[in-house]
């Protein structure tokens, strides 16, 4: 009998299949080279000096705390929204889903512009400012910009996470005497653990990397509303490559870490 | 009033629906619900537990209207085919889960009692994913039974189990519910579940409750051709032409059948016969009044493991006969042969004397 290995060797290899694989590799190769360039071009001393500069330290700190705060806010909202979209049927569900998803396809700059107009001199903007929230050209604005940019990704991941949890587990919990809220806390949340981790890291990476929305709403002011992407942008325009490359590297490391953790959780987007 | 009373229940979930379902159950009843896929069996269970709000109709449990009560207040347990165990808990925690909420006193003994009754006491520290299907289903049963629910609802609980495990689990379940006098509703595709566990059977199709009654009533006196076909019985229509020694003689399309059930001469009746109540021979048996001998043609043989199902037709009437493969071999039958179907008159049942 012919062994499986021999069969495979003698079997015809479809040119269609080979072609597709080659296309995938070509694009991957270009990306790998591009990412590699970010690490190969700068000289290490330059990067080290840039990291120690006041501007970089300010930018790193600001990015970290706004990113963490925005991520926390995103999770506080994406958990209930994801659960609602996964479990409940209600009037206007399609509308809610479309609008929340919209920023995925929306240019960041346009989103920033919309937020700027809303939080400017409108009724809504006045309500927020009377509550002590000033979003226009402030660090609070950075958080707002990051929040709206990252929210749709987190909501999507949370919805698909809850879709994968059998509602019958929740039914059983309720039949055993637990209310809907207790069931959510005891059953749905613990089972959604991986999805929560995945959507947290993706939300954090999106928050840290948000540029256009932040630029328009919070302004890209040197040492005031300067987060890492803004640092990259400002220094490119001054021709200060060391600073630009360093912020690029930091952002790249954050993204890699996020994608690595996301892949480990085996959650689908 | 009965223990459970469901009246005129309407519910519409699009793909699945119930259309005016009404029935009553007594305390300690074991009802199996059978019917084709998509008939509405699962939503019937889930609306009793309280997961779906009916569009119309009422549910009374112990004389209390529970139609709009929250599931967590009803104290009705449910067990699913895929077990729905909480995968982040150990077996012990799964069983403890409901008790902790409802009745935390003496939890440990109760859990150990039910675990040993269902032979899962050696698995308490394990996570559900490491257990076999039969073990997981016993854990799901333990979790539902340990809180002593007023009713236990089961949705095809054994259909994912192999035949041997299914028989063993049935035995354990039967004992556990008998000890607790639990009222049970059990959706199944396996008529064996009904025979071994139930005292009542309901047949549902397209959201309608076609027939509900004792095992004897539904299996031996199916009211409609659909129910007859579903429970494997043959339904014949005929007219009562005579009375003979306390038996009613019915003319069915040219041949006569005698039944013990009384009926007026001239009445149109439906007769039901079960395949296991018919004996096949190549000669008619000595004529006694208790015996029907119907000449028929063997039109087909279907092997089903240890037994075979023969299809006979007498005139325009078709009926199935269950025989052992041993006797089939002894008779040496092949399709096309002329045979005699012998049926005791007590096994021919009039299901409905006013046929329209």
């Amino acid at each position: 009998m012919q062994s499986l290995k021999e069969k495979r060797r003698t079997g015809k290899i479809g040119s269609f299949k080979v072609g597709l694989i080659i296309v995938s590799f070509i694009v991957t190769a270009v990306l790998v080279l591009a990412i590699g360039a970010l690490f190969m071009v700068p000289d290490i001393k330059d990067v080290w000096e840039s990291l120690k500069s006041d501007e970089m330290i300010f930018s790193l700190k600001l990015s970290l705390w706004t990113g963490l705060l925005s991520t926390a806010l995103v999770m506080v909202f994406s958990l209930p929204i994801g659960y609602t979209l996964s479990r409940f049927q209600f009037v206007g569900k399609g509308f809610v889903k479309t609008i929340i998803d919209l920023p995925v396809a929306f240019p960041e700059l346009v989103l920033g512009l919309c937020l700027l107009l809303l939080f400017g001199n409108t009724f809504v903007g006045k309500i927020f400012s009377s509550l002590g929230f000033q979003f226009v050209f402030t660090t609070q604005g950075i958080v707002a910009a990051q929040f709206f940019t990252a929210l749709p990704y987190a909501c999507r991941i949370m919805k698909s996470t809850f879709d994968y949890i059998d509602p019958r587990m929740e039914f059983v919990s309720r039949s055993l005497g637990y209310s809907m809220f207790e069931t959510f806390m005891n059953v749905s949340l613990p089972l959604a653990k991986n999805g929560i981790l995945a959507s947290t890291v993706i939300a954090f990476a999106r928050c840290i990397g948000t540029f256009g929305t932040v630029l328009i709403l919070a302004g890209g002011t040197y040492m005031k509303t300067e987060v890492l992407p803004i640092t990259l942008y400002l220094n490119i325009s001054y021709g200060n490559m060391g600073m630009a490359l360093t912020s690029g590297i930091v952002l790249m490391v954050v993204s890699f870490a996020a994608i690595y953790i996301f892949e480990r959780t085996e959650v689908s987007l | 009033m009965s223990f459970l009373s469901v009246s005129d229940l309407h519910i519409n979930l699009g793909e699945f629906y119930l259309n005016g379902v009404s029935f009553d159950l007594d305390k300690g009843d074991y009802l199996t619900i059978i019917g084709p896929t998509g008939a509405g069996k699962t939503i019937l269970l889930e609306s009793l537990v309280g997961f779906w709000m009916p569009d119309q109709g009422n549910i009374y449990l112990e004389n209390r209207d529970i139609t709009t009560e929250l599931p967590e207040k009803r104290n009705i347990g449910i067990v699913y085919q895929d077990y729905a165990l909480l995968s982040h808990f150990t077996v012990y925690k799964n069983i403890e889960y409901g008790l902790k909420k409802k009745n935390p006193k003496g939890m440990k003994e109760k859990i150990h009692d039910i675990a040993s009754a269902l032979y899962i006491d050696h698995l308490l520290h394990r996570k559900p994913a490491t257990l076999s299907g039969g073990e997981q289903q016993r854990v799901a049963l333990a979790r539902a039974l340990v809180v002593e629910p007023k009713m236990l609802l089961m949705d095809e609980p054994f259909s994912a189990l192999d035949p041997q495990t299914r028989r063993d689990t049935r035995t354990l379940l039967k004992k556990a519910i008998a000890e607790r006098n639990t009222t049970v509703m059990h959706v199944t595709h396996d008529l064996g579940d009904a025979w071994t566990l139930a005292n009542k059977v309901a047949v549902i199709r397209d959201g309608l409750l076609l027939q509900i009654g004792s095992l004897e009533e539904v299996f031996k006196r199916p009211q409609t051709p659909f129910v007859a076909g579903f429970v494997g019985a043959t339904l014949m229509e005929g007219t009562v032409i005579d009375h003979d020694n306390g038996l009613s003689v019915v003319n069915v399309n040219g041949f006569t059948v005698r039944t013990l059930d009384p009926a007026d001469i001239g009445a149109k009746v439906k007769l039901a016969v079960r395949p296991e109540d018919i004996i096949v021979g190549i000669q008619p048996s000595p004529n006694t009044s208790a015996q029907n001998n119907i000449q028929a043609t063997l039109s087909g043989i279907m092997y089903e493991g240890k037994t075979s199902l023969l299809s006979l037709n007498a005139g325009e009437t078709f009926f199935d006969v269950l025989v052992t493969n041993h006797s089939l071999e002894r008779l040496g039958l092949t399709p096309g042969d002329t045979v005699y179907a012998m049926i005791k008159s007590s096994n021919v049942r009039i299901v409905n004397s006013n046929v329209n």
Side-chain angles (χ1 to χ4, degrees):
Chain A
M1 215 181 85
Q2 209 178 18
S3 81
L4 198 68
K5 215 173 174 182
E6 275 167 334
K7 243 187 205 165
R8 193 181 286 171
R9 203 186 300 143
T10 52
K12 272 193 180 168
I13 301 169
S15 52
F16 179 70
K17 179 178 160 187
V18 173
L20 294 194
I21 293 174
I22 289 174
V23 169
S24 312
F25 265 110
I26 290 174
V27 175
T28 308
V30 173
L31 271 173
V32 165
L33 289 173
I35 295 163
L38 191 61
F39 291 90
M40 302 308 287
V41 171
D43 96 68
I44 293 173
K45 228 180 87 197
D46 208 14
V47 170
W48 182 241
E49 288 304 317
S50 302
L51 265 179
K52 286 196 300 187
S53 72
D54 287 347
E55 186 188 353
M56 187 55 77
I57 286 169
F58 176 87
S59 173
L60 276 172
K61 272 189 186 163
L62 185 63
S63 276
L64 192 65
W65 82 254
T66 53
L68 287 175
L69 180 60
S70 310
T71 305
L73 287 172
V74 164
M75 291 316 294
V76 165
F77 284 93
S78 66
L79 274 170
I81 293 172
Y83 191 73
T84 304
L85 293 179
S86 167
R87 285 292 187 271
F88 307 132
Q89 302 303 326
F90 53 92
V91 181
K93 179 175 175 177
F95 179 73
V96 171
K97 199 168 167 293
T98 310
I99 296 298
I100 286 181
D101 266 351
L102 202 56
V104 170
F106 227 51
E108 283 191 13
L109 289 167
V110 181
L111 178 64
L113 186 61
C114 296
L115 292 173
L116 179 68
L117 293 173
L118 176 72
F119 293 133
N121 262 332
T122 64
F123 172 65
V124 178
K126 282 184 184 129
I127 292 178
F128 275 104
S129 64
S130 71
L131 293 169
F133 294 108
Q134 298 280 357
F135 293 124
V136 179
F137 306 140
T138 65
T139 46
Q140 288 178 2
I142 299 176
V143 175
Q146 292 177 341
F147 174 83
F148 285 106
T149 312
L151 186 71
Y153 298 90
C155 287
R156 278 184 157 229
I157 300 173
M158 286 325 302
K159 179 187 180 292
S160 83
T161 300
F162 288 123
D163 284 345
Y164 275 99
I165 297 173
D166 188 351
R168 289 175 172 180
M169 294 206 190
E170 295 166 1
F171 286 177
V172 168
S173 167
R174 298 205 57 197
S175 78
L176 290 169
Y178 289 88
S179 70
M180 228 169 178
F181 175 69
E182 289 167 324
T183 296
F184 180 73
M185 299 305 282
N186 291 334
V187 178
S188 325
L189 268 192
L191 290 173
K193 186 172 85 212
N194 278 354
I196 293 170
L197 178 63
S199 87
T200 307
V201 294
I202 291 296
F204 182 70
R206 281 304 290 134
C207 287
I208 290 281
T210 305
F211 171 65
T213 330
V214 172
L215 183 71
I216 302 287
L217 182 63
T221 318
Y222 173 74
M223 295 282 270
K224 183 168 180 267
T225 54
E226 185 181 346
V227 282
L228 284 168
I230 304 283
T231 307
L232 195 155
Y233 171 72
L234 291 176
N235 284 287
I236 281 276
S237 24
Y238 308 151
N240 190 351
M241 286 306 281
M243 286 291 284
L245 288 168
T246 308
S247 34
I249 289 170
V250 175
L251 286 169
M252 186 57 77
V253 169
V254 172
S255 312
F256 264 119
I259 285 295
Y260 177 74
I261 298 171
F262 178 78
E263 291 292 334
R264 294 278 305 242
T265 59
E266 292 170 359
V267 171
S268 61
L269 190 63
Chain B
M1 211 172 162
S2 346
F3 175 73
L4 173 80
S5 177
V6 174
S7 79
D8 197 32
L9 203 65
H10 285 76
I11 191 163
N12 189 349
L13 298 179
E15 195 180 347
F16 302 106
Y17 53 90
L18 294 176
N19 216 338
V21 169
S22 304
F23 65 94
D24 290 324
L25 285 184
D26 294 323
K27 174 90 186 134
D29 268 348
Y30 194 121
L31 173 74
T32 49
I33 303 170
I34 55 178
T37 309
K41 304 178 299 275
T42 301
I43 24 169
L44 175 59
L45 294 193
E46 289 184 343
S47 59
L48 288 177
V49 191
F51 301 142
W52 313 114
M53 193 60 67
D55 303 325
Q56 193 185 318
N58 293 85
I59 304 165
Y60 300 91
L61 186 63
E62 296 180 320
N63 298 327
R64 215 161 49 79
D65 188 344
I66 60 160
T67 317
T68 57
E69 200 164 51
L70 291 170
E72 55 266 34
K73 305 282 180 212
R74 297 192 185 191
N75 202 10
I76 298 177
I78 189 156
V79 169
Y80 283 107
Q81 176 188 353
D82 54 7
Y83 330 121
L85 295 174
L86 303 174
S87 53
H88 56 304
F89 284 169
T90 59
V91 168
Y92 185 90
K93 289 224 158 187
N94 264 285
I95 303 174
E96 184 196 40
Y97 187 68
L99 266 187
K100 217 162 68 182
K101 181 76 183 178
K102 287 189 172 167
N103 186 7
K105 253 190 212 159
M107 232 159 40
K108 230 175 173 170
E109 290 100 80
K110 282 186 197 162
I111 294 169
H112 283 282
D113 284 353
I114 191 88
S116 62
L118 291 170
Y119 298 122
I120 46 172
D121 37 358
H122 58 296
L123 306 170
L124 288 173
H125 61 283
R126 303 243 305 255
K127 284 276 180 79
T130 67
L131 307 182
S132 72
E135 288 167 342
Q136 291 194 52
Q137 196 52 288
R138 269 147 40 212
V139 175
L141 284 171
R143 178 177 64 180
L145 283 170
V146 77
V147 296
E148 291 169 19
K150 285 181 183 159
M151 280 186 77
L152 177 64
L153 312 184
M154 295 190 286
D155 191 3
E156 298 183 38
F158 307 138
S159 42
L161 307 180
D162 64 76
Q164 182 59 44
T165 313
R166 186 178 309 175
R167 278 191 290 272
D168 295 345
T169 315
R170 267 188 204 146
T171 313
L172 290 175
L173 171 72
K174 193 168 186 172
K175 199 160 158 271
I177 57 163
E179 281 165 5
R180 288 165 179 79
N181 195 29
T182 314
T183 310
V184 180
M185 283 171 66
H186 176 163
V187 167
T188 185
H189 282 296
D190 183 349
L191 297 183
D193 285 341
W195 286 117
T196 40
L197 294 165
N199 68 331
K200 289 187 178 167
V201 184
V203 185
I204 294 187
R205 183 177 69 156
D206 292 339
L208 295 170
L209 181 59
L210 297 180
Q211 191 173 351
I212 181 167
S214 66
L215 279 182
E216 160 87 18
E217 276 163 13
V218 177
F219 282 125
K220 302 197 170 169
R221 296 175 197 274
Q223 298 288 336
T224 62
F226 176 80
V227 175
F230 209 79
V231 302
T234 300
L235 214 53
M236 301 175 266
E237 286 184 22
T239 314
V240 182
I241 51 166
D242 198 6
H243 286 162
D244 170 23
N245 273 334
L247 303 175
S248 308
V249 183
V250 182
N251 178 16
V252 181
N253 262 331
F255 61 90
T256 56
V257 178
R258 286 153 205 270
T259 165
L260 202 54
D261 288 351
D264 296 334
I265 291 177
K268 291 194 167 218
V269 291
K270 279 195 219 173
L271 302 171
V273 187
R274 290 206 55 84
E276 61 271 22
D277 291 339
I278 304 174
I279 297 167
V280 165
I282 34 182
Q283 298 288 330
S285 73
N287 226 345
T288 69
S289 62
Q291 207 71 28
N292 289 293
N293 277 288
I294 302 164
Q295 189 184 339
T297 311
L298 176 62
S299 52
I301 303 173
M302 184 134 76
Y303 294 98
E304 295 185 330
K306 290 173 189 162
T307 56
S308 292
L309 208 56
L310 308 184
S311 309
L312 306 187
N313 66 314
E316 285 168 21
T317 308
F318 289 83
F319 41 98
D320 291 334
V321 182
L322 189 72
V323 293
T324 62
N325 287 345
H326 178 70
S327 49
L328 185 63
E329 205 173 299
R330 196 163 42 84
L331 292 168
L333 293 175
T334 49
D337 288 356
T338 298
V339 292
Y340 291 86
M342 288 160 259
I343 317 167
K344 274 179 158 178
S345 52
S346 60
N347 283 331
V348 179
R349 295 167 183 91
I350 296 178
V351 295
N352 192 352
S353 48
N354 38 6
V355 178
N356 300 318

